[in-house]
Amino acid sequence: MDMDDAPTQSRNKLPDHLELQRTRVVCRADAPTHTEGFQYSGAFAAMGVDNSVSVEKFCNDFKIKINRLTDDDMEFDMIGIDASIANAFRRILIAEVPTMAIEKVLMVDNTSVIADEVLSHRLGLIPLDADPRLFDYISDDVPNERNTIVYKLHVSCEKGSQRLTVKSGQLEWLPEGSQLTIAATTQSGDKQKTYTFFGQSQQKTSESPLGVKYEDITIARLGPGQAIELEAHAVKGVGKVHAKWSPVATAWYRMLPEVVLLKEITDGDAEQLVKKCPVNVFDIEELGNGRKRAVVARPRACTLCRECVKVADDKAKKDNAKVAGDKVDEVEPQVELRRVRDHFIFTIESTGALPPEVLFTEAVKILEEKCERVISELS
């Protein structure tokens, strides 16, 4: 029989059940289905559907829609990409976008109850208000104005006074470099040698002070007679070396939810369905004459708790039991939860070193560099 005469789906279009498998992940009450995509370019060649990946197709399908943008976080939709690309951005944001963080602490005096190592660790986790793009990675352990930021902390609690809380805002930026001398000089006219080698003041290269992002972070609490005096050196690094260099508090994504009512749910069953959903995905629509039905009002809010699926299934089983004489047969679901396979809701929460939109731009640049490196190695 000639394909053109076949009374089936038109060519260049998949049947509905295959299109559902290709573009959606269906979440049943027990487990999700269709979790693996069709990666083979010729998977649907017999039906005249091209499943290959091309730059032109990507450029036509790929879209970014920003839903929320603040100084600290952003949420945007990334449409037309594979989960592997979305996950690559997530991993790069967490582990490979560089920031500045305190790495070396020179302890002069610490009589607080916090050990030197713990205090140093706490200092390293304080977000710094310094653009890492203005600095170089430190090499050969030679700290200078291009790769190191120096801070000083000198706080004491007088005897007989109340306990003193040491905050991150008390860290003082030293634009001229270290003030601690390594050793006494042999001649009175020689310049004292310090732990950094600044050729010029950082005030000449920085438009704003290189302080901390949040000044109300508690570092320690001092009792009467206790004191802390130290010098902290911040350098450039990435999160895969230590979490203190990670520029995000979190970066995560989820597939766009899609909630479908397979059957009309009315009256009392509709009210039960609306009450059962904890995030108010469903709403009631008045039909007149005292009748009402459930509608999907806010599918994007779905968290996949599956409560709606359980309610609909339980109701259908009870109806079947009444008809079949307490014998529960296999029932058709009334609510189906889906996830759009190539539509991701991406959220970035910055620690404050860089705005979230800049972080994503830097992640794109890093991924681009990785791709160029692979191409150059293969060519």
Side-chain angles (χ1 to χ4, degrees):
M1 183 176 180
D2 190 6
M3 287 292 295
D4 295 333
D5 299 331
T8 57
Q9 287 284 119
S10 59
R11 298 192 66 185
N12 301 326
K13 183 180 178 182
L14 290 177
D16 292 341
H17 70 284
L18 286 180
E19 184 66 18
L20 181 67
Q21 292 183 32
R22 189 179 72 89
T23 61
R24 301 291 189 271
V25 176
V26 180
C27 304
R28 307 292 185 191
D30 52 349
T33 60
H34 310 158
T35 56
E36 295 184 3
F38 295 90
Q39 303 296 335
Y40 174 47
S41 60
F44 310 111
M47 301 178 187
V49 176
D50 183 15
N51 196 50
S52 61
V53 179
S54 65
V55 176
E56 181 180 0
K57 185 177 179 181
F58 174 80
C59 292
N60 292 333
D61 296 342
F62 182 68
K63 298 180 183 66
I64 288 184
K65 178 183 176 183
I66 298 177
N67 303 312
R68 184 183 73 250
L69 177 60
T70 66
D71 294 337
D72 299 323
D73 67 274
M74 71 179 298
E75 180 187 280
F76 59 94
D77 287 17
M78 210 158 26
I79 308 169
I81 64 167
D82 188 74
S84 59
I85 305 297
N87 194 50
F89 284 129
R90 182 190 67 84
R91 291 173 63 94
I92 290 172
L93 282 165
I94 293 174
E96 297 187 53
V97 175
T99 60
M100 303 296 291
I102 292 174
E103 168 69 358
K104 183 183 292 185
V105 177
L106 305 177
M107 203 71 66
V108 179
D109 183 24
N110 177 23
T111 56
S112 70
V113 296
I114 303 179
D116 293 353
E117 295 82 358
V118 178
L119 181 59
S120 300
H121 185 266
R122 292 179 65 83
L123 290 170
L125 295 176
I126 297 175
L128 304 179
D129 191 13
D131 192 339
R133 296 171 294 180
L134 302 177
F135 294 88
D136 301 329
Y137 288 100
I138 191 168
S139 60
D140 301 327
D141 201 26
V142 180
N144 54 56
E145 72 278 6
R146 295 183 302 275
N147 59 29
T148 304
I149 307 174
V150 181
Y151 298 94
K152 181 179 73 173
L153 179 65
H154 190 184
V155 185
S156 61
C157 183
E158 299 295 334
K159 291 184 178 181
S161 62
Q162 296 292 325
R163 293 178 65 87
L164 177 67
T165 301
V166 183
K167 298 284 188 177
S168 56
Q170 294 173 274
L171 281 168
E172 179 187 351
W173 172 44
L174 302 178
E176 306 296 335
S178 176
Q179 294 179 348
L180 297 179
T181 57
I182 296 177
T185 55
T186 56
Q187 298 181 10
S188 59
D190 294 342
K191 184 179 178 180
Q192 291 183 323
K193 188 176 180 181
T194 64
Y195 285 89
T196 58
F197 306 91
F198 280 26
Q200 62 176 350
S201 173
Q202 288 181 331
Q203 289 180 328
K204 297 180 180 180
T205 57
S206 178
E207 297 179 357
S208 59
L210 303 177
V212 297
K213 184 64 178 179
Y214 307 104
E215 297 185 350
D216 58 346
I217 300 175
T218 299
I219 298 175
R221 296 199 68 188
L222 300 180
Q226 295 178 347
I228 294 176
E229 183 181 359
L230 58 85
E231 193 173 88
H233 296 186
V235 299
K236 187 175 181 178
V238 292
K240 63 183 178 182
V241 176
H242 194 284
K244 65 184 177 184
W245 279 299
S246 182
V248 295
T250 183
W252 61 283
Y253 62 85
R254 62 189 179 106
M255 292 181 180
L256 179 71
E258 189 176 77
V259 183
V260 180
L261 296 179
L262 302 178
K263 293 181 180 180
E264 190 176 72
I265 302 177
T266 59
D267 301 333
D269 297 329
E271 292 180 350
Q272 184 184 6
L273 181 64
V274 171
K275 291 179 181 178
K276 199 68 175 177
C277 180
V279 291
N280 301 320
V281 170
F282 303 96
D283 208 346
I284 294 292
E285 180 183 6
E286 298 292 340
L287 299 177
N289 298 325
R291 299 207 62 196
K292 57 188 72 172
R293 68 177 178 184
V295 294
V296 181
R298 291 166 288 274
R300 190 184 180 93
C302 179
T303 59
L304 203 62
C305 67
R306 295 184 174 90
E307 288 296 325
C308 57
V309 177
K310 296 174 184 176
V311 170
D313 286 355
D314 291 343
K315 188 263 177 186
K317 288 179 180 179
K318 290 179 181 179
D319 292 345
N320 275 18
K322 292 178 182 179
V323 175
D326 295 333
K327 181 182 178 181
V328 179
D329 298 327
E330 187 70 22
V331 298
E332 295 183 4
Q334 299 186 23
V335 180
E336 188 170 79
L337 303 179
R338 303 172 182 171
R339 291 290 185 268
V340 182
R341 196 185 294 275
D342 65 344
H343 190 144
F344 298 92
I345 303 173
F346 212 105
T347 304
I348 300 174
E349 295 182 6
S350 172
T351 58
L354 290 173
E357 68 273 18
V358 176
L359 290 177
F360 184 71
T361 304
E362 293 299 309
V364 172
K365 293 178 182 178
I366 292 174
L367 184 60
E368 183 180 4
E369 292 174 1
K370 288 173 174 283
C371 294
E372 291 177 351
R373 189 159 59 246
V374 171
I375 292 173
S376 64
E377 290 292 335
L378 294 176
S379 61

